Amino acid sequence: MKQITGLLFLVLITACSGSKKAIEISKSNEKTEKEVVKKSEVEITPKISFETGEIIDIPDNYNPNQIIKKDSSRFHQDLKKHERSLHFLFDELLKKYVSDNGNVDYEGFKNSREKLLGYISILQNTFPKLDKLKPSKEQKLAYWINAYNALTIDLILQNYPLKSIKDIDKPWDQRLWKFGNKWLNLNDIEHQILRKMDEPRIHFAIVCASFSCPKLQNTAFTVSDIETQLTTATKEFLDDSTKNYISQNNLRLSKILKWFAKDFKTNGSLIDFLNKYTEIEISSKAKKSFKDYNWDLND
């Protein structure tokens, strides 16, 4: 009888021990599942440095429509260690839908508008941190040039198909996008932000979706390459015979150089500016005239 009682006691202890282990395993599994869920929540959006404007990582399961969390504490990383920029998604779209000549496949863009809106939402969620972290001039230039071009494309897509941006009622005055507490339009970005940065080359980087505009570059502007990209865009525009005719003594120029003449004369004359970016040495006495502007869509 004592042996049977002892045996039963041993069985009970073993059972209890097994149950305890089962509970511990269950709790462990539950903890693991929670960790997986938590990890998934963290990794579902790109890790962006609001301090440097750089993307640290883009997970495979990234949904561009997911709004990025406003808590930026985990985003502050060293720019030198991370090459993928905030503008990675826009760069991907530009490479896909813009030719080397700057022709835009708006039909293709329309089919990928969710991704474009995802990029715009990233810009909008980055904006509240932009001024607080005192970004460099290069960071602000890359941010606002890309923003202007992305919003211009979005404006076209909202009204597509069309033959010209001028088919849209007051296209540059439409406040369709909210940044922080402000609804901005394209004029706000160009005249109140970019032109106040004392960088005349922005006029060859921002695009008005028209044939006579500078071509839309098929790569996004980035912090690390902004100087080279602005110079390249300027040289390409001035060298394009459909936009400008330049010789030593005769100039037939884009009206961009007339409309914004003040911006090109901050460090000398207009010809001084042109001579920095053209292979031809233009005479200071060269005759100037301006070409008609073609507002046909740049498709």
Side-chain angles (χ1 to χ4, degrees):
M1 185 68 180
K2 288 182 180 180
Q3 289 180 345
I4 293 172
T5 303
L7 185 59
L8 288 172
F9 183 70
L10 181 61
V11 169
L12 285 171
I13 291 176
T14 303
C16 290
S17 177
S19 298
K20 185 177 180 181
K21 286 182 179 179
I23 292 169
E24 289 175 351
I25 291 170
S26 176
K27 288 182 178 180
S28 176
N29 289 339
E30 184 180 348
K31 183 180 178 182
T32 303
E33 287 174 2
K34 286 181 179 179
E35 288 175 349
V36 169
V37 171
K38 186 177 180 182
K39 185 178 180 183
S40 176
E41 288 174 352
V42 170
E43 292 184 347
I44 199 168
T45 57
K47 298 177 182 178
I48 297 176
S49 168
F50 289 109
E51 185 172 19
T52 64
E54 296 294 302
I55 278 183
I56 302 162
D57 182 45
I58 296 180
D60 292 336
N61 63 337
Y62 170 59
N63 175 0
N65 295 313
Q66 177 94 19
I67 295 177
I68 292 178
K69 295 179 180 179
K70 293 183 179 179
D71 177 13
S72 63
S73 60
R74 64 186 174 85
F75 297 142
H76 291 190
Q77 300 292 329
D78 186 353
L79 174 61
K80 295 179 181 179
K81 294 180 181 178
H82 306 290
E83 295 298 327
R84 304 180 84 182
S85 85
L86 165 67
H87 310 290
F88 173 84
L89 294 174
F90 191 41
D91 187 75
E92 199 174 55
L93 289 168
L94 291 171
K95 282 182 168 64
K96 188 172 183 179
Y97 298 118
V98 182
S99 73
D100 290 339
N101 293 326
N103 299 113
V104 183
D105 176 9
Y106 287 106
E107 190 66 41
F109 254 117
K110 191 171 184 179
N111 293 333
S112 294
R113 187 164 179 248
E114 286 187 359
K115 289 184 179 179
L116 179 66
L117 293 177
Y119 170 66
I120 292 171
S121 76
I122 288 174
L123 293 178
Q124 290 169 320
N125 282 283
T126 305
F127 177 79
K129 304 293 178 183
L130 198 64
D131 289 331
K132 291 181 181 179
L133 294 166
K134 297 180 180 179
S136 66
K137 181 178 180 179
E138 291 76 17
Q139 288 169 329
K140 289 189 286 186
L141 281 169
Y143 178 94
W144 286 113
I145 290 171
N146 287 326
Y148 186 97
N149 289 338
L151 300 183
T152 299
I153 294 169
D154 186 45
L155 176 66
I156 297 297
L157 297 183
Q158 290 187 47
N159 295 275
Y160 193 81
L162 71 170
K163 293 182 179 180
S164 168
I165 191 170
K166 285 202 163 186
D167 292 341
I168 304 169
D169 182 43
K170 298 181 180 178
W172 297 282
D173 293 323
Q174 294 197 23
R175 288 192 165 85
L176 303 173
W177 310 277
K178 191 175 184 181
F179 286 74
N181 295 322
K182 295 182 179 180
W183 289 89
L184 297 183
N185 60 35
L186 295 172
N187 272 335
D188 293 331
I189 296 174
E190 180 176 8
H191 302 297
Q192 302 304 317
I193 299 174
L194 284 169
R195 290 186 66 197
K196 290 186 176 181
M197 294 177 68
D198 192 27
E199 178 47 82
R201 292 174 297 174
I202 60 105
H203 292 294
F204 312 114
I206 58 175
V207 180
C208 62
S210 303
F211 181 80
S212 287
C213 288
K215 76 175 190 180
L216 179 61
Q217 301 290 327
N218 59 3
T219 55
F221 286 82
T222 60
V223 175
S224 56
D225 295 328
I226 189 73
E227 177 63 29
T228 299
Q229 289 174 311
L230 286 172
T231 295
T232 297
T234 302
K235 287 181 175 180
E236 286 181 345
F237 181 74
L238 295 176
D239 192 48
D240 185 343
S241 60
T242 66
K243 312 290 195 302
N244 302 277
Y245 170 80
I246 295 175
S247 67
Q248 185 178 5
N249 297 303
N250 189 26
L251 303 172
R252 292 186 63 231
L253 303 173
S254 164
K255 283 188 178 177
I256 290 173
L257 294 158
K258 179 181 181 179
W259 293 332
F260 306 106
K262 180 181 177 182
D263 295 2
F264 301 111
K265 296 177 181 178
T266 54
N267 293 305
S269 68
L270 173 59
I271 289 176
D272 290 333
F273 174 85
L274 295 174
N275 276 328
K276 291 180 182 178
Y277 302 102
T278 58
E279 294 182 5
I280 297 170
E281 186 67 28
I282 305 167
S283 168
S284 60
K285 297 180 180 179
K287 294 181 179 179
K288 296 191 293 290
S289 62
F290 297 93
K291 303 181 76 169
D292 291 335
Y293 210 82
N294 185 345
W295 290 101
D296 288 349
L297 200 65
N298 60 341
D299 55 4

